Amino acid sequence: MDDSSLARTPVVVYGITLLGAALAYVVVPAAIIRAQGPDSTLKRVLGKDRKGRISLVLHFAGVACALLGENHGGILIDVGVAFYVIVAVLWLIPDRRIEHDLNASAHGR
């Protein structure tokens, strides 16, 4: 993206790649939970998985903005990149749900 000075096509392709990863992050756990049944440990640990769903929405918004933006420096392309950065920052915050569940199970709670 940087080598192209944020041209629309590289920003969109990068966003689609991120969107695919975010989609997999939502779909794969859902498939595991469906296979394990309503009492799935993964379901209990992940809950509604707001972080995963928010990431999916923000990546989609980033791709949409980049698609609608003008090539090479349009404001919407910059907004699209900002959505990608927001998701990256969101995932820098550690997710302790599994760790908390394991600790609670170890202590019999």
Side-chain angles (χ1 to χ4, degrees), residues 26-43:
V26 170
V27 169
V28 169
I32 293 169
I33 291 167
R34 194 173 316 116
Q36 290 180 346
D39 296 327
S40 170
T41 301
L42 186 59
K43 181 178 180 179

Side-chain angles (χ1 to χ4, degrees), residues 60-105:
F60 182 80
V63 170
C65 285
L67 278 171
L68 296 172
E70 294 180 22
N71 211 6
H72 295 288
I75 188 72
L76 282 176
I77 292 176
D78 294 338
V79 171
V81 172
F83 280 125
Y84 304 158
V85 171
I86 290 168
V87 174
V89 170
L90 178 69
W91 284 99
L92 284 175
I93 302 166
D95 191 346
R96 306 240 190 254
R97 292 177 292 188
I98 295 173
E99 182 180 345
H100 286 297
D101 188 72
L102 289 173
N103 286 337
S105 295

Side-chain angles (χ1 to χ4, degrees), residues 4-71:
S4 71
S5 299
L6 296 180
R8 179 182 10 200
T9 301
V11 174
V12 169
V13 170
Y14 182 65
I16 289 170
T17 303
L18 294 173
L19 184 61
L23 183 62
Y25 185 83
V26 170
V27 169
V28 169
I32 293 169
I33 291 167
R34 194 173 316 116
Q36 290 180 346
D39 296 327
S40 170
T41 301
L42 186 59
K43 181 178 180 179
R44 182 181 72 244
V45 171
L46 290 182
K48 294 182 191 259
D49 191 27
R50 286 185 291 262
K51 197 182 220 183
R53 294 182 189 282
I54 289 170
S55 297
L56 188 62
V57 169
L58 291 177
H59 283 309
F60 182 80
V63 170
C65 285
L67 278 171
L68 296 172
E70 294 180 22
N71 211 6

